[in-house]
Amino acid sequence: MAKMVFTILWATALIAVNQVLHGDTWGQYLATFLFGGFYALALSKADFRRGG
């Protein structure tokens, strides 16, 4: 459940950043790439436990 909430919040932040960078294609590419990398790193380091 925590991973799903984290993913939804992360996606919302990414959408907000892309809205702010509307019209700046390379900025959107860079933000998406960086957010994707940070997301993968955060999920690999986070300790999401079931039922506890």
Side-chain angles (χ1 to χ4, degrees), residues 3-23:
K3 192 182 288 188
M4 184 172 37
V5 171
F6 178 74
T7 300
I8 291 170
L9 290 174
W10 198 264
T12 303
L14 179 59
I15 290 168
V17 168
N18 276 324
Q19 289 295 324
V20 169
L21 294 173
H22 181 71

Side-chain angles (χ1 to χ4, degrees), residues 10 14 27-40:
W10 198 264
L14 179 59
Q28 287 179 323
Y29 289 155
L30 182 61
T32 301
F33 180 76
L34 289 175
F35 266 67
F38 289 142
Y39 177 76

